[in-house]
Amino acid sequence: MKRLVVLTGAGMSAESGISTFRDSGGLWDTYRVEDVATPEGWARDPQLVTEFYNIRRRELLNVRPCRGHELLAQLEQDYEVNIITQNVDNLHERAGSHHVLHLHGELMKVTSSRDPDNPRYIETLPPERPEVKLGDRAKDGSQLRPFIVWFGEAVPNIERATKLSAEADIYVIIGTSLNVYPAAGLIHYVPEGCPIYLIDPKPVQWNSIRSFTHIQKGASEGMKEFIEKLKIL
Ligand code: OAD
């Protein structure tokens, strides 16, 4: 089976009803990144950060995977599909994808604020109790924090993502502005000769000499066109 590697960003989940970050009206218009997505923001105002992620979780529980997520999951019948996602939602998994690598953490998980990457302290919140309060403790006794990779923090899964990218037969990038590193740098590891597709309704800043095929559509319509292209590849 051919290896299909998929890199997704916020635009993948836009049609499910989750806001992107940098489009107009996106999350970073309403909140300041440094307040809610950095270790300094957390140190300054853990209440604000805790509430920001509580809101994001409630929003996630009210939405469903879009057609684009479903079509990606169905491709597992014919391809070895590995998804590398910058998204912290669980919509790929809920659509039925089995190999999803989260680069920026997972919204439904929480962890120790003292030792966040230690698997012993990572817990999944049940959908019926998705909220965290200040005072809720991880197993090591520290305040529970979101299992989110904030700006300025290391990205523990980047090595696995690099390896997957380097082994791709076909590469497709969906709904990311390619603004945030190290994720945006993954395209440099895609083997020469491996075709690269980009699904995004808007032009995207492309910092590589590699050529790519731009399917200038939203995730669901773009996935349909991509599947047609796969048939003749
Ligand atoms: P951005 O908000 O930067 O980019 C979203 C991309 O999705 C843009 O290129 C849009 O044109 C595109 N888009 C919008 N609607 C779409 C649709 N219906 N179908 C397909 N694409 C669509 O989001 P990301 O690139 O994912 O990190 O942002 C990367 C990281 O920055 C996030 O993981 C997050 C953020 O700050 C953290 O919070 C750590």
Side-chain angles (χ1 to χ4, degrees), residues 178 181 184 187-188 204-210:
L178 294 174
Y181 284 80
I187 50 176
H188 301 302
V204 168
Q205 176 188 327
W206 185 260
N207 293 321
S208 162
I209 50 162
R210 287 292 297 272

PDB file of all heavy atoms in Angstrom, residues 178 181 184 187-188 204-210:
ATOM      1  N   LEU A 178       0.624  27.588   7.383  1.00  0.00           N
ATOM      2  CA  LEU A 178       2.070  27.301   7.391  1.00  0.00           C
ATOM      3  C   LEU A 178       2.860  28.463   8.002  1.00  0.00           C
ATOM      4  O   LEU A 178       3.933  28.813   7.538  1.00  0.00           O
ATOM      5  CB  LEU A 178       2.569  26.958   5.973  1.00  0.00           C
ATOM      6  CG  LEU A 178       2.007  25.660   5.383  1.00  0.00           C
ATOM      7  CD1 LEU A 178       2.444  25.473   3.927  1.00  0.00           C
ATOM      8  CD2 LEU A 178       2.441  24.433   6.198  1.00  0.00           C
ATOM      9  N   TYR A 181       6.135  27.231  13.118  1.00  0.00           N
ATOM     10  CA  TYR A 181       7.208  26.232  13.080  1.00  0.00           C
ATOM     11  C   TYR A 181       7.262  25.520  14.426  1.00  0.00           C
ATOM     12  O   TYR A 181       6.839  26.074  15.421  1.00  0.00           O
ATOM     13  CB  TYR A 181       8.543  26.936  12.784  1.00  0.00           C
ATOM     14  CG  TYR A 181       8.640  27.305  11.325  1.00  0.00           C
ATOM     15  CD1 TYR A 181       7.992  28.442  10.851  1.00  0.00           C
ATOM     16  CD2 TYR A 181       9.308  26.492  10.423  1.00  0.00           C
ATOM     17  CE1 TYR A 181       8.046  28.776   9.495  1.00  0.00           C
ATOM     18  CE2 TYR A 181       9.365  26.814   9.075  1.00  0.00           C
ATOM     19  CZ  TYR A 181       8.734  27.961   8.616  1.00  0.00           C
ATOM     20  OH  TYR A 181       8.764  28.269   7.286  1.00  0.00           O
ATOM     21  N   ALA A 184       5.521  23.912  10.066  1.00  0.00           N
ATOM     22  CA  ALA A 184       5.604  24.419   8.702  1.00  0.00           C
ATOM     23  C   ALA A 184       6.861  23.930   7.990  1.00  0.00           C
ATOM     24  O   ALA A 184       6.917  23.889   6.752  1.00  0.00           O
ATOM     25  CB  ALA A 184       5.560  25.949   8.717  1.00  0.00           C
ATOM     26  N   ILE A 187       7.538  20.257   5.355  1.00  0.00           N
ATOM     27  CA  ILE A 187       7.561  20.086   3.893  1.00  0.00           C
ATOM     28  C   ILE A 187       8.989  19.885   3.374  1.00  0.00           C
ATOM     29  O   ILE A 187       9.180  19.279   2.337  1.00  0.00           O
ATOM     30  CB  ILE A 187       6.898  21.272   3.137  1.00  0.00           C
ATOM     31  CG1 ILE A 187       7.432  22.614   3.615  1.00  0.00           C
ATOM     32  CG2 ILE A 187       5.393  21.225   3.282  1.00  0.00           C
ATOM     33  CD1 ILE A 187       6.868  23.807   2.826  1.00  0.00           C
ATOM     34  N   HIS A 188       9.976  20.364   4.127  1.00  0.00           N
ATOM     35  CA  HIS A 188      11.358  20.214   3.665  1.00  0.00           C
ATOM     36  C   HIS A 188      11.841  18.764   3.739  1.00  0.00           C
ATOM     37  O   HIS A 188      12.880  18.423   3.187  1.00  0.00           O
ATOM     38  CB  HIS A 188      12.296  21.109   4.485  1.00  0.00           C
ATOM     39  CG  HIS A 188      11.924  22.554   4.398  1.00  0.00           C
ATOM     40  ND1 HIS A 188      11.847  23.245   3.209  1.00  0.00           N
ATOM     41  CD2 HIS A 188      11.564  23.455   5.363  1.00  0.00           C
ATOM     42  CE1 HIS A 188      11.477  24.498   3.439  1.00  0.00           C
ATOM     43  NE2 HIS A 188      11.287  24.641   4.731  1.00  0.00           N
ATOM     44  N   VAL A 204      -1.509  30.338   0.093  1.00  0.00           N
ATOM     45  CA  VAL A 204      -0.776  30.100   1.342  1.00  0.00           C
ATOM     46  C   VAL A 204       0.683  30.467   1.116  1.00  0.00           C
ATOM     47  O   VAL A 204       1.230  30.251   0.046  1.00  0.00           O
ATOM     48  CB  VAL A 204      -0.920  28.601   1.736  1.00  0.00           C
ATOM     49  CG1 VAL A 204       0.043  28.217   2.841  1.00  0.00           C
ATOM     50  CG2 VAL A 204      -2.357  28.300   2.168  1.00  0.00           C
ATOM     51  N   GLN A 205       1.281  31.058   2.145  1.00  0.00           N
ATOM     52  CA  GLN A 205       2.698  31.424   2.076  1.00  0.00           C
ATOM     53  C   GLN A 205       3.528  30.139   1.996  1.00  0.00           C
ATOM     54  O   GLN A 205       3.453  29.303   2.897  1.00  0.00           O
ATOM     55  CB  GLN A 205       3.000  32.184   3.361  1.00  0.00           C
ATOM     56  CG  GLN A 205       4.403  32.604   3.587  1.00  0.00           C
ATOM     57  CD  GLN A 205       4.524  33.167   4.996  1.00  0.00           C
ATOM     58  OE1 GLN A 205       3.601  33.776   5.521  1.00  0.00           O
ATOM     59  NE2 GLN A 205       5.669  32.939   5.628  1.00  0.00           N
ATOM     60  N   TRP A 206       4.271  29.967   0.907  1.00  0.00           N
ATOM     61  CA  TRP A 206       4.947  28.690   0.648  1.00  0.00           C
ATOM     62  C   TRP A 206       6.457  28.916   0.650  1.00  0.00           C
ATOM     63  O   TRP A 206       7.022  29.386  -0.322  1.00  0.00           O
ATOM     64  CB  TRP A 206       4.458  28.141  -0.703  1.00  0.00           C
ATOM     65  CG  TRP A 206       4.971  26.795  -1.041  1.00  0.00           C
ATOM     66  CD1 TRP A 206       6.016  26.502  -1.878  1.00  0.00           C
ATOM     67  CD2 TRP A 206       4.470  25.534  -0.569  1.00  0.00           C
ATOM     68  NE1 TRP A 206       6.192  25.146  -1.946  1.00  0.00           N
ATOM     69  CE2 TRP A 206       5.272  24.526  -1.153  1.00  0.00           C
ATOM     70  CE3 TRP A 206       3.437  25.159   0.300  1.00  0.00           C
ATOM     71  CZ2 TRP A 206       5.061  23.162  -0.900  1.00  0.00           C
ATOM     72  CZ3 TRP A 206       3.230  23.804   0.551  1.00  0.00           C
ATOM     73  CH2 TRP A 206       4.036  22.834  -0.049  1.00  0.00           C
ATOM     74  N   ASN A 207       7.109  28.557   1.754  1.00  0.00           N
ATOM     75  CA  ASN A 207       8.543  28.850   1.869  1.00  0.00           C
ATOM     76  C   ASN A 207       9.405  27.677   1.436  1.00  0.00           C
ATOM     77  O   ASN A 207      10.228  27.187   2.200  1.00  0.00           O
ATOM     78  CB  ASN A 207       8.880  29.219   3.320  1.00  0.00           C
ATOM     79  CG  ASN A 207       8.251  30.527   3.721  1.00  0.00           C
ATOM     80  OD1 ASN A 207       8.205  31.465   2.923  1.00  0.00           O
ATOM     81  ND2 ASN A 207       7.736  30.600   4.935  1.00  0.00           N
ATOM     82  N   SER A 208       9.177  27.224   0.213  1.00  0.00           N
ATOM     83  CA  SER A 208       9.977  26.101  -0.271  1.00  0.00           C
ATOM     84  C   SER A 208      10.093  26.215  -1.781  1.00  0.00           C
ATOM     85  O   SER A 208       9.213  26.794  -2.427  1.00  0.00           O
ATOM     86  CB  SER A 208       9.282  24.790   0.119  1.00  0.00           C
ATOM     87  OG  SER A 208       9.759  23.720  -0.655  1.00  0.00           O
ATOM     88  N   ILE A 209      11.157  25.647  -2.319  1.00  0.00           N
ATOM     89  CA  ILE A 209      11.289  25.665  -3.785  1.00  0.00           C
ATOM     90  C   ILE A 209      10.516  24.500  -4.394  1.00  0.00           C
ATOM     91  O   ILE A 209      10.376  24.408  -5.608  1.00  0.00           O
ATOM     92  CB  ILE A 209      12.772  25.586  -4.235  1.00  0.00           C
ATOM     93  CG1 ILE A 209      13.471  24.426  -3.523  1.00  0.00           C
ATOM     94  CG2 ILE A 209      13.492  26.906  -3.985  1.00  0.00           C
ATOM     95  CD1 ILE A 209      14.751  24.000  -4.196  1.00  0.00           C
ATOM     96  N   ARG A 210      10.025  23.596  -3.530  1.00  0.00           N
ATOM     97  CA  ARG A 210       9.281  22.443  -4.025  1.00  0.00           C
ATOM     98  C   ARG A 210       7.990  22.881  -4.711  1.00  0.00           C
ATOM     99  O   ARG A 210       7.303  23.792  -4.247  1.00  0.00           O
ATOM    100  CB  ARG A 210       8.901  21.532  -2.836  1.00  0.00           C
ATOM    101  CG  ARG A 210      10.043  20.773  -2.250  1.00  0.00           C
ATOM    102  CD  ARG A 210      10.552  19.739  -3.212  1.00  0.00           C
ATOM    103  NE  ARG A 210       9.544  18.731  -3.522  1.00  0.00           N
ATOM    104  CZ  ARG A 210       9.373  17.622  -2.808  1.00  0.00           C
ATOM    105  NH1 ARG A 210      10.123  17.387  -1.747  1.00  0.00           N
ATOM    106  NH2 ARG A 210       8.454  16.730  -3.160  1.00  0.00           N
TER     107      ARG A 210
END
